[in-house]
Amino acid sequence: MLYGNALRDEIASAGTTPLIGVYDMYSASLAAKHYDALFVSGFGFAASYYGLPDIGFIAWPDMVAFAERLRGAFPRHHLLVDIDDGYVDTELACHVVRRLERSGISGVVLEDQQRPRRCGHADGKQVLPLEDYLAKLDRVLASRTDLLVVARTDATDDEDIMIRAKALAATDADVVLVDGVRDVGAIRRIREAVGTKPLLFNQIAGGKSPRLSLTELAALGVDVAVYSTPCLFAAHRAVEDAMTRLKAADGLLPATGATGGAGVGEATALLMDNLRRHSTR
């Protein structure tokens, strides 16, 4: 199966294609019941795998191994993986792209940040000289055959954003992402700057970008919407609440079932579905 082409076709269809950020196999199992496209964000992976912020700690073998496990469990879902800056080195970026493509990953996001890197919605981001990033991007594009590539800029200056958005749209990258867009007006300007190239918008709760529905994004000409951390942040609140209630109840577990929390039966059924998909791939 050509996973990259399948995602291209999905993006080319009417409306805005949503990709849901997952941070481990369990969150992916739940998200996959509701959506056909999943996203592995650097923020979620750094938080879940290392317990650290998204500032450059991710080791590429860890990310590749997780992506490979996801593909094994979800053989028919679109899978987009954030590979940050390609782990600094251009040769390494190309190697990771080839590994992910052989593993059946649909696409990757490659950013123009320089180290020390930051979450796309954090302050203090620094970007590579445009020529340096374009050279890396061109090498990555030449190393893939089917894999979809999202070219991402983390520029924060309005003039620089427009210059970079136009430059990225002129490459053979499949999609353009300007991360940390602050308002609807900027989305409109970026949409005009990239011409006919598909445009991706990244939404993260509490981030710098406005909260917009898929209908609103489609009206703005956005082709893809990535929801980076809905599972992670939902788990954060749910686990915190569960621990507070357990302590208040003197260690008495809550009831399970329709009016209570999940239990071993529901969790096992979810995981058995994964096992069946592994067995029939």
Side-chain angles (χ1 to χ4, degrees), residues 45-219:
F45 189 75
S48 63
Y49 197 83
Y50 304 104
L52 294 172
D54 182 24
I55 56 175
F57 289 107
I58 296 173
W60 72 265
D62 295 336
M63 180 61 88
V64 168
F66 178 47
E68 289 173 343
R69 288 198 299 274
L70 280 172
R71 177 47 78 209
F74 308 105
R76 288 177 291 276
H77 280 69
H78 305 295
L79 295 178
L80 181 67
V81 177
D82 183 0
I83 61 168
D84 294 339
D85 56 356
Y87 310 101
V88 184
D89 183 76
T90 299
E91 290 294 342
L92 182 52
C94 294
H95 172 71
V96 170
V97 161
R98 288 190 291 267
R99 276 283 301 268
L100 290 173
E101 184 169 44
R102 287 198 301 270
S103 301
I105 302 308
S106 309
V108 298
V109 181
L110 180 73
E111 69 189 33
D112 64 357
Q113 281 199 57
Q114 65 179 9
R115 302 290 171 125
R117 69 171 308 281
R118 297 285 182 268
C119 165
H121 289 254
D123 294 327
K125 296 188 297 181
Q126 302 175 73
V127 291
L128 292 165
L130 180 56
E131 296 76 12
D132 293 351
Y133 173 69
L134 291 177
K136 179 188 289 186
L137 177 62
D138 284 344
R139 291 281 303 281
V140 164
L141 292 169
S143 72
R144 58 89 187 256
T145 54
D146 169 63
L147 191 81
L148 178 141
V149 175
V150 178
R152 162 179 158 177
T153 181
D154 282 85
T156 55
D157 174 77
D158 288 344
E159 183 179 358
D160 195 24
I161 287 173
M162 291 302 118
I163 290 171
R164 288 174 182 257
K166 290 177 182 177
L168 302 190
T171 71
D172 289 332
D174 300 281
V175 181
V176 170
L177 162 61
V178 178
D179 211 7
V181 177
R182 294 176 180 270
D183 56 63
V184 168
I187 298 173
R188 292 195 178 100
R189 292 191 295 274
I190 294 164
R191 174 69 276 175
E192 183 177 356
V194 302
T196 59
K197 184 77 72 172
L199 180 64
L200 186 152
F201 180 72
N202 180 24
Q203 300 205 86
I204 182 169
K208 295 183 181 297
S209 299
R211 294 168 55 245
L212 297 167
S213 69
L214 290 172
T215 300
E216 291 170 320
L217 289 171

